[in-house]
Amino acid sequence: MTQTPLAPRTHDTPPPVRTGGRARVLLRFLAIVSCLPYLSLKIAWIAGSQVGIPDGSPLLDNPTTMAVANGGTVLMDGSVIVLALLLTQAWGLRVRAWLLVLPMWTASGLLLPIMGGFPLQLLVGALDGSGPGADTPSFLEGWVFALVYPGFIVQGLALGALFALYARDRWGHLWQGALRDLPPSPTAPALRVAAVAASLLAVVPATMHLLWASGSTVGLNGSRIAGRTDDFYALQALDALFVAATVAGVLLLAFRRTGGLSLKVPLALAWAGSGAVGCSGGWLSIASLAGVEEMADRATPGMELTYAVQMLVGLLVVTLGAYFFAERAAAAKTAGSRA
């Protein structure tokens, strides 16, 4: 397998990044193949097929809206293939950082709730005897979720591993060491204020998800109240956990109270938490505004507020992360130019 040639480095060039190797080729293959079930179904639906859609499903009520929605999701899942190629090909090294990181953050945010939620649903179904799919929405046949969700999990694992390898090679020097190793920063006060603001905003979705996980019906619509199962409570608890991870990550980075903690820990918490919180909130908000009611679960104003605040929290935290890494990269470049 090939790998990019090692060239002399200057402070303007990134560290050498491997794009070959058996492990990366295998991960790329898994990421691409795991997209096929979902893409095949979506393309079939765009073409007019009703496979997997039961009679009377609300998906059949507005063919134009659903064709547009299906086309958008085809592009989204197709981007997984592009990312898998980008992370394992030489041309991917020429892509600007933000053009790679932002789609990866979005992909992580959309896939992580499925990667955690689907196994959790299976576990809950096994424990309470209801079996898998007890909380499966009625607008699709149950086998559709059983087919595509494992594919999403494989996508997340393979794409995440590829990105971790790529990011370690290209930017690993930016997150080495412990929190106490971070140098003083002129933007530290602003980071702390923004971190506190994000944490205060996060109280809204955290409270709502915990209320729903504990059995409260505040802010829920009638159909959702009637259709609650153990799956629902477990998934709400998982959503609250993602919010908690976001807050923990950003506050640790901002205040650095646990000095001996590896820098990787708060960065991973902030990345995974903000992605899951922000992207799921944004997805449901867009679905609600677009009138795709079954995707937004016929959201009430209380649910819409929860989703909108989630999106704001996620965007704020990922913006803080961008500033953090930009500052670290600039400091590293300056140190390299002086060496």
Side-chain angles (χ1 to χ4, degrees):
M1 298 298 175
T2 61
Q3 86 175 34
T4 54
L6 301 182
R9 286 193 58 200
T10 70
H11 66 274
D12 293 321
T13 59
V17 182
R18 302 177 182 86
T19 57
R22 292 182 179 178
R24 298 181 200 231
V25 171
L26 176 60
L27 289 169
R28 180 179 63 198
F29 173 78
L30 290 174
I32 293 174
V33 170
S34 62
C35 294
L36 297 181
Y38 185 77
L39 290 175
S40 299
L41 274 174
K42 289 289 183 172
I43 292 172
W45 292 341
I46 292 173
S49 173
Q50 294 184 15
V51 59
I53 304 176
D55 293 336
S57 169
L59 295 178
L60 303 175
D61 294 343
N62 194 328
T64 302
T65 299
M66 291 313 303
V68 172
N70 286 329
T73 50
V74 164
L75 293 176
M76 290 171 63
D77 207 47
S79 67
V80 171
I81 298 175
V82 176
L83 287 170
L85 293 172
L86 184 154
L87 294 169
T88 55
Q89 299 291 327
W91 57 265
L93 306 181
R94 298 189 293 271
V95 174
R96 290 184 177 272
W98 71 271
L99 283 175
L100 168 61
V101 173
L102 188 57
M104 273 303 311
W105 177 77
T106 304
S108 300
L110 292 174
L111 290 171
L112 277 171
I114 297 174
M115 294 170 67
F118 187 62
L120 184 60
Q121 285 181 294
L122 295 178
L123 176 61
V124 170
L127 292 176
D128 66 11
S130 61
D135 197 33
T136 299
S138 60
F139 55 86
L140 285 174
E141 300 286 358
W143 65 262
V144 173
F145 296 92
L147 174 67
V148 301
Y149 275 23
F152 287 145
I153 293 174
V154 174
Q155 287 176 41
L157 293 173
L159 197 62
L162 285 173
F163 180 67
L165 292 170
Y166 181 103
R168 180 199 62 189
D169 292 342
R170 184 171 176 181
W171 302 301
H173 61 292
L174 299 180
W175 61 64
Q176 296 302 315
L179 281 173
R180 62 167 166 250
D181 299 326
L182 291 174
S185 167
T187 62
L191 174 61
R192 289 169 184 161
V193 170
V196 170
S199 300
L200 292 175
L201 282 172
V203 170
V204 175
T207 300
M208 297 306 294
H209 288 303
L210 286 174
L211 285 172
W212 295 337
S214 63
S216 173
T217 61
V218 61
L220 291 175
N221 57 53
S223 62
R224 199 57 178 148
I225 293 172
R228 289 177 301 168
T229 64
D230 289 342
D231 286 13
F232 172 82
Y233 303 123
L235 293 178
Q236 294 305 314
L238 179 63
D239 288 338
L241 184 61
F242 281 128
V243 178
T246 306
V247 173
V250 74
L251 289 180
L252 284 170
L253 283 175
F255 292 94
R256 307 174 189 178
R257 297 299 186 192
T258 311
L261 187 68
S262 171
L263 183 56
K264 298 181 181 71
V265 174
L267 288 173
L269 289 172
W271 172 278
S274 67
V277 169
C279 295
S280 62
W283 173 253
L284 292 169
S285 294
I286 292 171
S288 177
L289 292 174
V292 187
E293 294 182 340
E294 71 285 345
M295 295 173 68
D297 200 21
R298 296 177 175 84
T300 65
M303 295 166 71
E304 289 175 346
L305 175 64
T306 300
Y307 303 148
V309 175
Q310 284 186 204
M311 181 171 58
L312 289 174
V313 170
L315 290 174
L316 180 55
V317 172
V318 77
T319 301
L320 293 176
Y323 275 103
F324 175 84
F325 277 111
E327 185 175 284
R328 295 271 289 171
K333 182 181 291 188
T334 300
S337 64
R338 292 174 179 172

